Amino acid sequence: DIQMTQSPSTLSASVGDRVTITCRASQSISRWLAWYQQKPGKAPKLLIYEASNLESGVPSRFSGSGSGTEFTLTISSLQPDDFATYYCQQYNSWTFGQGTKVEIK
Amino acid sequence: EVQLVQSGAEVKKPGATVKISCMFFGYLFSDDYIHWVQQAPGKGLEWMGRVNPEDDETIYAEKFQGRVTITADTSRDTVYMELTSLTSEDTAVYFCATLVGGGGGFDYWGQGTLVTVSS
């Protein structure tokens, strides 16, 4: 099975900060990676697919990069609505990372 | 508008079986795989398995193999997830999800179904 490891597990930041979350795969997944945002009590929301493609309707402050085994999600200027938990997912065999909670500093 | 609507919350005793449904609206759901994802309280997302409604082919995560069955009823536009031999560790919200837009990942999700396992 392909294991996905995210870091950090928790991130404290302020509105306006640039935030970066890393996701590493245990083997190469090419660019078959998605990023999600989840808020309490809600289903996850797709932000990025194929490592760097922005899902329709997602603000342009979100961006993704990487290929192979190392990937990043960047929020260029954190907004109040962005405090949430973020997950990466490889969709060769669909496993998720353990999540990164973005908290208010 | 595409919607995935799941059945309501369930309370089960240890050792019981639960079967949750996910009904599709506004989408020909036989076009792509339908997946199920588990989220235990305060925990992350765990992929459980998927079904191809065209041919009923299924793939399950190793953790759930032998206890989970995912089926599709194309006449009812509904997918089911059955989990057997429940323990307290199965207390979780279960989501169905799929890809409609053709990009990647899961772009549509059900609202989630809470299953509580308690004696």
Coordinates of all heavy atoms in Angstrom, one line a residue, chain A residues 31 35 48 50-54 62-66 71-74:
Chain A
R31 N 1.7 12.4 -10.7 CA 1.1 13.6 -10.2 C -0.4 13.3 -9.8 O -1.2 14.2 -9.7 CB 1.1 14.7 -11.4 CG 2.4 15.2 -11.7 CD 2.4 16.1 -12.9 NE 1.5 17.2 -12.7 CZ 1.8 18.3 -12.1 NH1 3.0 18.5 -11.4 NH2 0.9 19.3 -12.0
W35 N -5.8 17.5 -3.1 CA -5.8 18.2 -1.8 C -7.3 18.6 -1.5 O -8.0 19.0 -2.3 CB -5.0 19.5 -1.8 CG -3.5 19.3 -1.8 CD1 -2.7 19.3 -2.9 CD2 -2.6 19.0 -0.7 NE1 -1.4 19.1 -2.6 CE2 -1.3 18.9 -1.2 CE3 -2.8 18.9 0.7 CZ2 -0.2 18.7 -0.4 CZ3 -1.7 18.7 1.5 CH2 -0.5 18.6 0.9
I48 N -7.6 20.9 -5.1 CA -6.5 20.7 -6.1 C -6.6 19.3 -6.6 O -6.7 18.4 -5.7 CB -5.1 21.0 -5.5 CG1 -5.0 22.4 -4.9 CG2 -4.0 20.7 -6.5 CD1 -4.7 23.5 -5.9
E50 N -4.6 16.5 -9.6 CA -3.4 16.3 -10.4 C -2.3 17.2 -10.0 O -1.6 17.8 -10.8 CB -3.7 16.4 -11.9 CG -2.9 15.6 -12.8 CD -3.3 15.6 -14.3 OE1 -4.5 15.7 -14.5 OE2 -2.4 15.7 -15.1
A51 N -2.1 17.3 -8.7 CA -1.0 17.9 -8.0 C -1.1 19.5 -8.0 O -0.7 20.1 -7.1 CB 0.3 17.5 -8.5
S52 N -1.5 20.0 -9.2 CA -1.4 21.5 -9.3 C -2.6 22.1 -10.0 O -2.6 23.4 -10.2 CB -0.2 21.9 -10.1 OG -0.2 21.3 -11.4
N53 N -3.6 21.4 -10.3 CA -4.8 21.9 -11.0 C -5.8 22.4 -10.0 O -6.3 21.6 -9.2 CB -5.4 20.9 -11.9 CG -4.5 20.6 -13.1 OD1 -4.3 21.5 -14.0 ND2 -3.9 19.4 -13.1
L54 N -6.2 23.7 -10.1 CA -7.2 24.2 -9.2 C -8.6 23.8 -9.5 O -9.0 24.0 -10.7 CB -7.1 25.8 -9.2 CG -7.6 26.6 -8.0 CD1 -6.8 26.2 -6.8 CD2 -7.5 28.1 -8.3
F62 N -5.0 29.5 -3.3 CA -4.5 28.1 -3.1 C -3.8 27.6 -4.3 O -4.2 27.9 -5.5 CB -5.8 27.2 -2.9 CG -6.5 27.3 -1.7 CD1 -7.6 28.2 -1.6 CD2 -6.1 26.7 -0.5 CE1 -8.3 28.4 -0.4 CE2 -6.8 26.8 0.7 CZ -7.9 27.7 0.7
S63 N -2.6 26.9 -4.1 CA -1.9 26.4 -5.2 C -1.2 25.1 -4.7 O -1.0 24.9 -3.5 CB -0.8 27.4 -5.7 OG 0.1 27.6 -4.7
G64 N -0.9 24.2 -5.7 CA -0.3 23.0 -5.4 C 0.9 22.8 -6.4 O 0.9 23.3 -7.5
S65 N 1.9 22.0 -5.9 CA 3.0 21.7 -6.7 C 3.6 20.3 -6.3 O 3.2 19.8 -5.3 CB 4.1 22.7 -6.6 OG 4.6 22.8 -5.3
G66 N 4.5 19.8 -7.2 CA 5.2 18.6 -6.9 C 4.9 17.5 -7.9 O 4.0 17.6 -8.7
F71 N 5.1 16.7 -2.5 CA 4.1 17.6 -2.9 C 3.8 18.7 -1.9 O 4.1 18.4 -0.7 CB 2.7 16.9 -3.2 CG 2.8 15.8 -4.2 CD1 3.2 14.5 -3.8 CD2 2.6 16.0 -5.5 CE1 3.4 13.4 -4.7 CE2 2.7 14.9 -6.4 CZ 3.1 13.7 -6.0
T72 N 3.4 19.8 -2.3 CA 3.1 20.9 -1.4 C 1.8 21.6 -1.7 O 1.4 21.7 -2.9 CB 4.2 22.0 -1.3 OG1 4.3 22.5 -2.6 CG2 5.5 21.4 -0.8
L73 N 1.1 22.0 -0.7 CA -0.1 22.9 -0.9 C 0.3 24.2 -0.2 O 0.8 24.2 0.9 CB -1.3 22.3 -0.1 CG -2.6 23.2 0.0 CD1 -3.2 23.4 -1.4 CD2 -3.6 22.7 1.0
T74 N 0.1 25.3 -1.0 CA 0.4 26.6 -0.5 C -0.9 27.5 -0.5 O -1.6 27.5 -1.4 CB 1.5 27.3 -1.3 OG1 2.7 26.5 -1.3 CG2 1.8 28.7 -0.8

